[in-house]
Amino acid sequence: MAPFADEFDGTDLDLSVWFPHYLPAWSSREATRASYRIEDSCLVLDLPPGTGLWCPEDHFPPLRISGIQSGNFSGPVGSTQGQQPFLDGQTVKEAQERFEGHLTTGDHLEIRCRMTLSPRSMAAFWLVGFEDRPERCGEICVTEVFGRAVDPGRTAEVGMGVHALRDPYPPEDFAAPRIDLDVAQLQTYAVDWNADQARFSVNGLEVRRCARPPTYPMQLMLAVFDFPTWGSAEDEDFLPELVVDRVTGS
């Protein structure tokens, strides 16, 4: 597989690779449009005050999201064929054309990024099955950081591992070890994987391993999240950000 690299050096997001919406089949493209900009050769995903809730009629607890993904797919309206459903029997509200900006089946992938988080926000980079077949739905999480699990400037709990979801093959294996790490500064999070194991590292140091990760075509997911019920009125004007210097790998 040819090497993949996006260092965000252009003037705008490369729409041949990235789809600037988050799982729009369960809502709509308009309602899930990402808030982003390219600045200083970085992608900045943010959640400005007043951003609407994601799938407000269906998702609980309330959630706001700004995310992009390197693939998108669904069946027709009313079908259950869509990516990462969060309800049993969930049906497509807006049909999605097949988009394969970048899909990967294994080897190496890394992200260099920094995060600006409050106790009610979270940022993540993960891979999910393209899900053109329902069982191809497993997830490899490269990094997931909740602001409430950060000791600013010192340590953070960094989630990483495999989520089986509805795939019967990979074992569920996810953890969030606490690492000496300032997530507000640029750090490199990576995964190396094949059919036998996935090895997760931070700044080149291995942190954990998982057995039998998915190796079917997977798309890249980048997002920043806000959970309004976790905070107080003082948090309303806070601007969560995920700033990405580069994504490279295979």
Side-chain angles (χ1 to χ4, degrees):
M1 181 177 292
F4 171 79
D6 194 340
E7 298 184 348
F8 306 103
D9 289 333
T11 58
D12 203 351
L13 192 66
D14 184 350
L15 297 181
S16 71
V17 174
W18 301 105
F19 186 68
H21 308 266
Y22 185 78
L23 302 178
W26 313 124
S27 178
S28 70
R29 287 179 290 277
E30 180 59 33
T32 60
R33 191 178 304 277
S35 172
Y36 71 89
R37 65 187 185 276
I38 302 296
E39 181 177 273
D40 299 328
S41 293
C42 289
L43 166 69
V44 183
L45 286 165
D46 62 18
L47 278 167
T51 300
L53 297 176
W54 184 72
C55 293
E57 298 176 354
D58 301 318
H59 193 278
F60 301 96
L63 177 63
R64 301 190 305 145
I65 303 175
S66 180
I68 64 173
Q69 50 197 65
S70 69
N72 190 44
F73 170 79
S74 86
V77 171
S79 74
T80 58
Q81 190 173 22
Q83 298 175 322
Q84 293 196 287
F86 54 89
L87 298 172
D88 291 338
Q90 191 165 12
T91 57
V92 172
K93 293 185 177 179
E94 181 182 276
Q96 304 295 311
E97 295 182 0
R98 190 182 184 104
F99 171 73
E100 299 181 34
H102 180 71
L103 303 181
T104 182
T105 56
D107 195 13
H108 174 81
L109 202 63
E110 67 179 49
I111 184 172
R112 184 166 172 79
C113 65
R114 60 181 176 86
M115 308 168 186
T116 303
L117 303 172
S118 76
R120 69 181 237 181
S121 53
M122 183 263 276
F125 172 53
W126 71 108
L127 313 175
V128 295
F130 188 65
E131 213 158 335
D132 50 346
R133 286 164 43 185
E135 69 274 14
R136 292 183 167 184
C137 60
E139 175 182 323
I140 298 174
C141 181
V142 183
T143 182
E144 175 187 275
V145 178
F146 286 87
R148 61 185 183 179
V150 173
D151 183 1
R154 301 178 62 187
T155 68
E157 293 180 6
V158 180
M160 57 188 73
V162 173
H163 289 303
L165 301 179
R166 301 172 315 284
D167 183 342
Y169 175 73
E172 178 74 17
D173 189 352
F174 182 86
R178 183 164 290 277
I179 300 172
D180 291 333
L181 193 72
D182 182 0
V183 298
Q185 302 299 318
L186 288 172
Q187 312 288 355
T188 301
Y189 309 87
V191 62
D192 293 88
W193 81 107
N194 55 32
D196 295 324
Q197 68 175 1
R199 294 181 290 112
F200 298 88
S201 62
V202 178
N203 295 327
L205 299 177
E206 184 177 308
V207 177
R208 65 187 314 262
R209 297 188 181 195
C210 298
R212 304 203 319 267
T215 55
Y216 38 70
M218 306 188 81
Q219 66 193 45
L220 286 57
M221 309 284 289
L222 283 162
V224 60
F225 301 77
D226 174 62
F227 302 85
T229 58
W230 290 4
S232 64
E234 296 177 354
D235 300 318
E236 290 299 322
D237 294 329
F238 184 84
L239 184 69
E241 289 185 334
L242 173 59
V243 180
V244 184
D245 177 55
R246 67 172 186 264
V247 179
T248 58
S250 60

